[in-house]
């Protein structure tokens, strides 16, 4: 590759806007045909300021897209059993189509048990074991929102994944692991790297697609990016710094997500799109 | 590494015998304390000769270990709904502790839907979505039998996986995908390769641990094995040929599984061990 190669930014902000617009059209159609808007229940335990902000932002975006939200704010002293009861109640409530449990829930709560109280058909945040296995096996279901957003970005920029080497850095249950499985389903050769990986630089150097999903500022060195690679930075660190050394990576990549404005906006867009789809499924509505 | 390096065969036959013996001791204890032996239900649709043989072999091994088995042979014309009814019935039957659905079930049956009718606590073959997610997230649950057997072999031969590069060739739902997740849980860097992988040779050359799980005779070239690597061959092809070119690999590997006598015997051993554990769990028995 020559030094004059042009790099293209993957514009998550614009793509997210388009997805939200589509979701809004579908939400309006559902409201018109059924007399009730799609409804997302948001559940928050305690009052962690970052979590309060996230939930508020998600609800505001829902409102703008014509999606109702019902917020259940539980005190920090809520027990795991009480939280599970709440989530099971929402799972059985026909007026609620999607459920979002904002996490972390606090150290005294078994988050996995809480997630599992969400019915798979309302798991619009893609956090249940069922949703993970569905992503892994290529079965119908909801995807984890950030991985889903990453896949939509790759699709929007016509990235052909078949036979390509995709390296995922990070192995969390809602980001690294599922995005690797989604890339594998698209016939990429997938490598999972993480904190114990012995020679990260060398592995990154062989990657056609890099997904950084670890939350460590500039862990991925720009000079390790293979010329012409596609770089997806799902890291969000203080000061709007991603997991990739952006400035150097920019001189080598073919496609790269900015931070902010890359992966970030896609996450909420997928949440809204999946909420509308959940409502359509539960109400038996086929979109035109 | 020098040419005089010694290679060690990973003796699955002996390790499997030890596991089955341990399972038999536990089965006897359960029988003595409860008056009833652990019970595995085997379900077979149709009369595919290979499947008939597999089921017969598994039941014979159960009998030798003091595990009861109850066989349900269904006609080839069985519908998916009838099969699901049968499996749901066994899931709810307190006399049955483990359920094995022999597959393939035939082209007219949605195998995934059938597997999902098996209660997770009786999924001793590790085929449900729940079991897959539990393996992936490091949660309690049953493992898929061949992946579980591979992990026990690695443990028995003291293979330290942390930070090592493990390459899994194959991505099936009950072998390649889960063994990769189990290796990742042991802190290996994990690469999934498959039929669409562009440069398999080069990737194998970098592997500290190779797991071949694809069912293509001698797909893995011996000369690609890194000197000192650990080679696990889960392939079973006609003529007792594995997925690895054994003779050449033998001159380079540090540890290697023979075919037969490596991974093969471990699969049934894990099935029996998990059946006994399922019975103990369901009967509330703690082993000494």
């Amino acid at each position: 590759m020559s030094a004059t190669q042009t790099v293209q930014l993957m514009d998550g902000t614009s793509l997210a806007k388009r997805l939200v617009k589509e979701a809004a059209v579908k939400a309006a159609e559902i409201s018109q045909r059924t007399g009730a808007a799609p409804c997302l229940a948001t559940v928050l335990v305690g009052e962690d300021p970052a979590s309060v902000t996230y939930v508020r932002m998600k609800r505001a975006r829902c409102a703008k897209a014509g999606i109702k939200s019902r917020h259940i704010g539980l005190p920090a002293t809520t027990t795991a059993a009480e939280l599970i009861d709440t989530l099971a109640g929402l799972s059985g409530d026909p007026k609620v189509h999607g459920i979002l449990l904002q996490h972390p829930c606090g150290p005294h709560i078994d988050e996995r048990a809480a997630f599992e109280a969400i019915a798979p058909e309302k798991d619009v945040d893609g956090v249940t074991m069922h949703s993970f296995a569905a992503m892994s096996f290529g079965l119908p279901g909801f995807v984890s929102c950030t991985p889903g957003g990453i896949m939509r970005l790759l699709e929007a920029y016509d990235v052909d994944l078949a036979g390509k080497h995709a390296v995922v850095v990070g192995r969390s249950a809602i980001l690294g692991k599922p995005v690797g499985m989604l890339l594998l389903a698209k016939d990429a050769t997938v490598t999972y790297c993480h904190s114990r990986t012995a020679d990260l630089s060398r592995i990154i150097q062989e990657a056609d697609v890099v997904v950084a999903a670890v939350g460590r500022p500039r862990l991925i060195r720009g000079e390790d990016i293979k010329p012409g690679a596609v770089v997806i930075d799902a890291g969000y660190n203080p000061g709007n710094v991603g997991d990739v050394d952006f400035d150097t990576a920019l001189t080598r990549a073919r496609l790269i997500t900015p931070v902010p404005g890359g992966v970030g906006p896609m996450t909420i867009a997928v949440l809204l799109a999946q909420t509308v789809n959940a409502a359509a499924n539960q109400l038996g509505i086929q979109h035109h």
Side-chain angles (χ1 to χ4, degrees), chain A residues 58 103 124-127 135 143-154 172 174-176 178-179 182 211-213 232-236 262-271 274:
Chain A
K58 289 169 186 173
H103 46 106
V124 294
D125 204 25
V127 297
M135 287 183 268
V143 299
S144 307
C145 291
T146 304
I150 291 169
M151 298 310 290
R152 283 173 186 256
L153 270 171
L154 291 168
S172 71
I174 56 162
L175 183 37
V179 80
L182 292 172
V211 178
I232 305 286
D233 192 344
Y236 44 98
V263 173
M266 294 299 296
T267 300
I268 293 188
V270 171
L271 175 69
Q274 294 197 136

Side-chain angles (χ1 to χ4, degrees), chain A residues 262-287:
Chain A
V263 173
M266 294 299 296
T267 300
I268 293 188
V270 171
L271 175 69
L272 301 194
Q274 294 197 136
T275 300
V276 171
N277 288 343
N281 292 342
Q282 286 160 49
L283 297 166
I285 287 178
Q286 304 253 323
H287 288 291

Side-chain angles (χ1 to χ4, degrees), chain A residues 42-255:
Chain A
T42 58
V43 179
L44 175 61
V45 179
E47 294 176 346
D48 171 67
S51 294
V52 168
T53 302
Y54 283 136
V55 169
R56 187 181 300 140
M57 193 163 68
K58 289 169 186 173
R59 298 187 67 203
R61 297 292 290 279
C62 280
K64 277 184 67 176
I67 298 168
K68 254 175 54 182
S69 63
R70 183 200 298 181
H71 184 63
I72 295 100
L74 300 171
T77 53
T78 303
T79 65
E82 288 165 345
L83 176 58
I84 286 170
D85 274 355
T86 299
L87 293 164
L90 294 168
S91 290
D93 183 340
K95 288 184 180 152
V96 168
H97 307 114
I99 301 171
L100 170 86
L101 171 60
Q102 185 68 39
H103 46 106
C105 296
H108 65 297
I109 289 193
D110 175 352
E111 263 176 29
R112 176 49 51 197
F115 285 149
E116 294 309 307
I118 299 172
E121 67 271 18
K122 298 190 179 182
D123 180 24
V124 294
D125 204 25
V127 297
T128 60
M129 293 167 78
H130 182 94
S131 293
F132 177 75
M135 287 183 268
S136 302
F137 294 163
L139 299 170
F142 294 116
V143 299
S144 307
C145 291
T146 304
I150 291 169
M151 298 310 290
R152 283 173 186 256
L153 270 171
L154 291 168
E155 202 187 336
Y157 285 87
D158 288 325
V159 176
D160 179 19
L161 293 163
K164 298 300 192 301
H165 193 175
V167 173
V168 176
V169 187
R171 53 174 164 169
S172 71
I174 56 162
L175 183 37
K177 276 182 186 139
V179 80
M181 284 292 142
L182 292 172
L183 291 162
L184 186 59
K186 293 288 185 189
D187 293 331
T189 300
V190 173
T191 297
Y192 285 101
C193 297
H194 45 80
S195 56
R196 302 296 301 272
T197 292
D199 194 358
L200 184 62
S201 277
R202 195 183 48 72
I203 295 173
I204 296 293
Q205 286 164 24
E206 290 164 2
D208 301 306
V209 178
V210 175
V211 178
V214 73
R216 286 179 57 190
R218 299 196 187 91
L219 175 74
I220 312 291
R221 298 163 10 127
E223 51 262 53
D224 287 336
I225 299 298
K226 181 158 100 173
V230 176
V231 178
I232 305 286
D233 192 344
Y236 44 98
N237 305 295
N240 279 334
V241 171
D243 288 352
V244 178
D245 171 10
F246 182 79
D247 292 343
T248 313
L250 195 64
T251 65
R252 303 174 67 84
R254 174 169 71 86
L255 286 166

Side-chain angles (χ1 to χ4, degrees), chain A residues 25-39:
Chain A
V25 169
K26 285 193 193 178
E29 191 188 332
I30 291 170
S31 299
Q32 200 189 350
R33 288 171 62 180
T34 69
C39 176

